[in-house]
PDB file of all heavy atoms in Angstrom:
ATOM      1  N   ASP A  33     106.874-208.152-104.759  1.00  0.00           N
ATOM      2  CA  ASP A  33     105.461-207.935-104.440  1.00  0.00           C
ATOM      3  C   ASP A  33     104.814-206.895-105.350  1.00  0.00           C
ATOM      4  O   ASP A  33     103.601-206.708-105.312  1.00  0.00           O
ATOM      5  CB  ASP A  33     105.299-207.477-102.977  1.00  0.00           C
ATOM      6  CG  ASP A  33     105.567-208.592-101.991  1.00  0.00           C
ATOM      7  OD1 ASP A  33     105.593-209.771-102.399  1.00  0.00           O
ATOM      8  OD2 ASP A  33     105.776-208.287-100.800  1.00  0.00           O
ATOM      9  N   ARG A  34     105.620-206.236-106.154  1.00  0.00           N
ATOM     10  CA  ARG A  34     105.095-205.180-107.028  1.00  0.00           C
ATOM     11  C   ARG A  34     104.240-205.745-108.150  1.00  0.00           C
ATOM     12  O   ARG A  34     104.570-206.756-108.750  1.00  0.00           O
ATOM     13  CB  ARG A  34     106.252-204.432-107.685  1.00  0.00           C
ATOM     14  CG  ARG A  34     106.630-203.193-106.958  1.00  0.00           C
ATOM     15  CD  ARG A  34     107.463-202.361-107.846  1.00  0.00           C
ATOM     16  NE  ARG A  34     107.040-200.987-107.602  1.00  0.00           N
ATOM     17  CZ  ARG A  34     107.774-199.956-107.867  1.00  0.00           C
ATOM     18  NH1 ARG A  34     108.943-200.114-108.418  1.00  0.00           N
ATOM     19  NH2 ARG A  34     107.342-198.747-107.604  1.00  0.00           N
ATOM     20  N   GLU A  35     103.188-205.041-108.417  1.00  0.00           N
ATOM     21  CA  GLU A  35     102.320-205.354-109.554  1.00  0.00           C
ATOM     22  C   GLU A  35     102.691-204.403-110.697  1.00  0.00           C
ATOM     23  O   GLU A  35     103.295-203.364-110.463  1.00  0.00           O
ATOM     24  CB  GLU A  35     100.852-205.168-109.159  1.00  0.00           C
ATOM     25  CG  GLU A  35     100.387-206.146-108.094  1.00  0.00           C
ATOM     26  CD  GLU A  35     100.458-207.593-108.533  1.00  0.00           C
ATOM     27  OE1 GLU A  35     100.150-207.885-109.707  1.00  0.00           O
ATOM     28  OE2 GLU A  35     100.846-208.445-107.700  1.00  0.00           O
ATOM     29  N   PRO A  36     102.336-204.748-111.905  1.00  0.00           N
ATOM     30  CA  PRO A  36     102.659-203.852-113.034  1.00  0.00           C
ATOM     31  C   PRO A  36     102.014-202.481-112.843  1.00  0.00           C
ATOM     32  O   PRO A  36     100.899-202.375-112.336  1.00  0.00           O
ATOM     33  CB  PRO A  36     102.043-204.556-114.241  1.00  0.00           C
ATOM     34  CG  PRO A  36     101.804-205.957-113.824  1.00  0.00           C
ATOM     35  CD  PRO A  36     101.629-205.942-112.341  1.00  0.00           C
ATOM     36  N   LEU A  37     102.741-201.466-113.231  1.00  0.00           N
ATOM     37  CA  LEU A  37     102.208-200.105-113.163  1.00  0.00           C
ATOM     38  C   LEU A  37     101.248-199.881-114.330  1.00  0.00           C
ATOM     39  O   LEU A  37     101.414-200.469-115.394  1.00  0.00           O
ATOM     40  CB  LEU A  37     103.349-199.091-113.214  1.00  0.00           C
ATOM     41  CG  LEU A  37     104.346-199.164-112.069  1.00  0.00           C
ATOM     42  CD1 LEU A  37     105.517-198.233-112.329  1.00  0.00           C
ATOM     43  CD2 LEU A  37     103.688-198.830-110.755  1.00  0.00           C
ATOM     44  N   LYS A  38     100.289-199.007-114.112  1.00  0.00           N
ATOM     45  CA  LYS A  38      99.295-198.732-115.154  1.00  0.00           C
ATOM     46  C   LYS A  38      99.407-197.328-115.710  1.00  0.00           C
ATOM     47  O   LYS A  38      99.051-197.073-116.845  1.00  0.00           O
ATOM     48  CB  LYS A  38      97.894-198.964-114.592  1.00  0.00           C
ATOM     49  CG  LYS A  38      97.655-200.416-114.248  1.00  0.00           C
ATOM     50  CD  LYS A  38      96.317-200.638-113.633  1.00  0.00           C
ATOM     51  CE  LYS A  38      96.202-202.117-113.315  1.00  0.00           C
ATOM     52  NZ  LYS A  38      95.246-202.419-112.322  1.00  0.00           N
ATOM     53  N   LYS A  39      99.919-196.399-114.901  1.00  0.00           N
ATOM     54  CA  LYS A  39      99.982-195.004-115.329  1.00  0.00           C
ATOM     55  C   LYS A  39     101.276-194.748-116.089  1.00  0.00           C
ATOM     56  O   LYS A  39     102.378-194.986-115.586  1.00  0.00           O
ATOM     57  CB  LYS A  39      99.883-194.078-114.119  1.00  0.00           C
ATOM     58  CG  LYS A  39      98.560-194.188-113.400  1.00  0.00           C
ATOM     59  CD  LYS A  39      98.499-193.262-112.209  1.00  0.00           C
ATOM     60  CE  LYS A  39      97.154-193.410-111.517  1.00  0.00           C
ATOM     61  NZ  LYS A  39      97.114-192.693-110.266  1.00  0.00           N
ATOM     62  N   THR A  40     101.127-194.227-117.274  1.00  0.00           N
ATOM     63  CA  THR A  40     102.262-193.961-118.153  1.00  0.00           C
ATOM     64  C   THR A  40     103.265-193.016-117.502  1.00  0.00           C
ATOM     65  O   THR A  40     104.475-193.223-117.612  1.00  0.00           O
ATOM     66  CB  THR A  40     101.779-193.377-119.496  1.00  0.00           C
ATOM     67  OG1 THR A  40     100.817-194.275-120.051  1.00  0.00           O
ATOM     68  CG2 THR A  40     102.924-193.210-120.474  1.00  0.00           C
ATOM     69  N   ALA A  41     102.786-192.000-116.812  1.00  0.00           N
ATOM     70  CA  ALA A  41     103.685-191.028-116.175  1.00  0.00           C
ATOM     71  C   ALA A  41     104.552-191.706-115.115  1.00  0.00           C
ATOM     72  O   ALA A  41     105.749-191.407-115.006  1.00  0.00           O
ATOM     73  CB  ALA A  41     102.884-189.889-115.551  1.00  0.00           C
ATOM     74  N   GLU A  42     103.950-192.605-114.342  1.00  0.00           N
ATOM     75  CA  GLU A  42     104.712-193.349-113.318  1.00  0.00           C
ATOM     76  C   GLU A  42     105.787-194.214-113.962  1.00  0.00           C
ATOM     77  O   GLU A  42     106.920-194.272-113.493  1.00  0.00           O
ATOM     78  CB  GLU A  42     103.758-194.271-112.541  1.00  0.00           C
ATOM     79  CG  GLU A  42     103.424-193.838-111.147  1.00  0.00           C
ATOM     80  CD  GLU A  42     102.557-194.885-110.473  1.00  0.00           C
ATOM     81  OE1 GLU A  42     101.400-195.063-110.911  1.00  0.00           O
ATOM     82  OE2 GLU A  42     103.045-195.520-109.518  1.00  0.00           O
ATOM     83  N   ILE A  43     105.396-194.890-115.028  1.00  0.00           N
ATOM     84  CA  ILE A  43     106.327-195.769-115.742  1.00  0.00           C
ATOM     85  C   ILE A  43     107.490-194.960-116.296  1.00  0.00           C
ATOM     86  O   ILE A  43     108.656-195.334-116.133  1.00  0.00           O
ATOM     87  CB  ILE A  43     105.595-196.532-116.872  1.00  0.00           C
ATOM     88  CG1 ILE A  43     104.558-197.485-116.263  1.00  0.00           C
ATOM     89  CG2 ILE A  43     106.577-197.281-117.756  1.00  0.00           C
ATOM     90  CD1 ILE A  43     103.565-198.062-117.273  1.00  0.00           C
TER      91      ILE A  43
END
Side-chain angles (χ1 to χ4, degrees):
D33 288 345
R34 264 196 141 158
E35 295 298 321
L37 298 173
K38 294 177 181 158
K39 296 180 180 172
T40 305
E42 254 184 293
I43 295 167

